[in-house]
Amino acid sequence: TACIGEHANIVKFLGAVVDDIDKGKCVAVFELSPFGNLNHYLRNVPTQLSDVSGNVYVNLSEDMERQGMNQIHKLMYFCKQIASGMEYLAQKNVSNH
């Protein structure tokens, strides 16, 4: 976060373990995403998720249903969030190579 700052639509990269980098192994450490990766979440949206301590996370889709958002609006909402995070990374000159 020191290099690119923080953004609501970007999972924080916390660090890496490079003890076995000479063997081609590197373990990345990211902040907790209570719903897992976005692809899995969108394909398997449960009504509720809870963590091991019993805290219940009401899923985003359920909240949006209460607001009367239909499926296409939900997908557009996710797309807008993804685009916002990608735009931020582009402004910080972050690339994938």
Side-chain angles (χ1 to χ4, degrees):
T1 59
C3 296
I4 63 168
E6 294 185 19
H7 189 276
N9 302 116
I10 299 175
V11 175
K12 292 182 190 97
F13 172 73
L14 302 174
V17 178
V18 294
D19 294 341
D20 292 326
I21 196 76
D22 57 328
K23 298 176 186 171
K25 295 180 183 178
C26 178
V27 178
V29 181
F30 295 92
E31 75 174 309
L32 175 66
S33 296
F35 301 115
N37 74 59
L38 182 61
N39 183 38
H40 184 265
Y41 176 78
L42 291 174
R43 292 179 186 274
N44 305 295
V45 181
T47 56
Q48 286 186 337
L49 292 174
S50 61
D51 63 17
V52 290
S53 66
N55 295 323
V56 174
Y57 300 99
V58 177
N59 76 38
L60 191 54
S61 292
E62 191 175 283
D63 290 340
M64 287 190 274
E65 277 300 328
R66 284 192 225 117
Q67 297 171 16
M69 294 179 121
N70 64 29
Q71 193 65 22
I72 196 70
H73 287 108
K74 290 177 197 175
L75 293 174
M76 293 301 291
Y77 181 73
F78 285 125
C79 290
K80 182 179 176 182
Q81 291 179 316
I82 292 166
S84 175
M86 292 174 69
E87 176 185 39
Y88 179 80
L89 291 174
Q91 290 172 352
K92 298 294 184 174
N93 294 320
V94 175
S95 70
N96 64 348
H97 30 80

